[in-house]
Amino acid sequence: IQAVYDIKDPSCPNHPYPVPTSNPGISVELKGLVVTANFVVNKTDGMFVQDPMGGPFSGVAIFKGPKLLGEIQVGDLVDVKGSLTDYFGQLQISLEGDGSVEKVGSAGAEPEPFDISHPSHVASDGPVAEAYNGVLIRVQGLTVVDTRPDCPHEWGEFLVRGEPEAPGTYGLRVDDMGDWTEYAPEVGDTISAITGPLAYAFENHKIEPRYDADIEVLTK
């Protein structure tokens, strides 16, 4: 497989199915992808990359990161070699074995996020959540409605909703994979925008802000 769209878009003729749930997965070799998030330099072992053309089905997660070099920055162009697996519902590339991420250039600037018209569209079970899984997105016009959606557990997530909220939707989760530390959410806070790649874990889609600037708080 040599294109992210083949990996992610079920309508592409080379879309793999089924994808193994553990290694060895399906061998992939992707060239000229732009890095949209590198969480290795913060506290996790993953990054997100996408085709420079962007749009739905353009992004994919990379995990198992000992070979993810810390000097790789958002906006860099990379070639990726690895093993595609289905990790509890998220298609991602593992670098275990002889996988690698090699910097081959720079896009010159951070990639622009794709603006989602309403956060419920990419929330869990949202109509385009699968299409934008792995893609750098921005959601706008938000209110914090829950600071501990998994209570009594604490997994470092909070929940936002847009206005007007679609009937039957619960909101979009905001996760703490990134290195944002200045904002402590409280119910009722209004946020003009949140930017980050969309991920899927523990049966929920969630946006992953990369740093403090990705959370634009209006009022507390």
Side-chain angles (χ1 to χ4, degrees), residues 77-106:
L77 298 175
V78 295
D79 291 346
V80 177
K81 178 182 177 183
S83 176
L84 179 68
T85 59
D86 181 339
Y87 187 76
F88 294 99
Q90 174 163 274
L91 295 182
Q92 61 187 43
I93 297 172
S94 168
L95 301 181
E96 290 184 348
D98 62 352
S100 63
V101 175
E102 178 184 359
K103 179 178 176 179
V104 295
S106 176

Side-chain angles (χ1 to χ4, degrees), residues 96-138:
E96 290 184 348
D98 62 352
S100 63
V101 175
E102 178 184 359
K103 179 178 176 179
V104 295
S106 176
E110 290 194 6
E112 286 293 320
F114 186 91
D115 284 311
I116 300 297
S117 59
H118 196 282
S120 64
H121 295 170
V122 290
S124 302
D125 299 321
V128 295
E130 280 302 312
Y132 287 96
N133 175 260
V135 178
L136 184 67
I137 63 170
R138 177 168 50 210

Side-chain angles (χ1 to χ4, degrees), residues 158-192:
F158 66 96
L159 199 69
V160 295
R161 297 184 73 172
E163 296 295 339
E165 185 65 30
T169 59
Y170 184 53
L172 174 63
R173 288 175 179 249
V174 184
D175 196 22
D176 65 346
M177 186 183 294
D179 192 26
W180 52 273
T181 58
E182 295 180 359
Y183 175 57
E186 296 180 7
V187 172
D189 288 354
T190 58
I191 300 173
S192 60

